[in-house]
Amino acid sequence: MEKVKYFVENQAFGVCTRLGEKFKISTSSIRLYFIYTSFITMGSPIIIYLILAFWMNIRRYLRQRNNPTVWEF
């Protein structure tokens, strides 16, 4: 079960995990929130989720660009 959970979290950008760590809330409750609100509002939280995932990837890219490793010189 842990392998499946790790695979899904890697493929799903890690947004729920990051939000859980930031606000000190369990990751599973955040995932359930996204699922329930997606059904109730017909998918609008999915757009928010994708925006957050995009923002996290941009931040990671900018950090790597500002702090190059020894091998990138």
Side-chain angles (χ1 to χ4, degrees):
M1 188 65 181
E2 289 296 320
K3 290 180 183 180
V4 173
K5 188 175 177 182
Y6 179 75
F7 176 76
V8 169
E9 193 60 38
N10 262 350
Q11 298 301 318
F13 308 110
V15 173
C16 294
T17 303
R18 178 76 172 137
L19 287 174
E21 290 172 354
K22 187 116 177 140
F23 295 118
K24 295 178 178 54
I25 302 172
S26 73
T27 306
S28 60
S29 64
I30 294 174
R31 286 187 185 116
L32 286 175
Y33 170 77
F34 272 115
I35 291 168
Y36 292 149
T37 56
S38 294
F39 282 120
I40 292 170
T41 61
M42 294 180 223
S44 63
I46 294 171
I47 296 168
I48 295 169
Y49 184 88
L50 292 175
I51 290 170
L52 288 171
F54 176 75
W55 182 255
M56 286 174 53
N57 282 336
I58 290 294
R59 285 183 59 188
R60 185 179 307 138
Y61 172 75
L62 291 175
R63 282 185 190 149
Q64 288 175 353
R65 201 167 146 226
N66 289 336
N67 299 323
T69 62
V70 175
W71 307 111
E72 293 175 359
F73 285 119

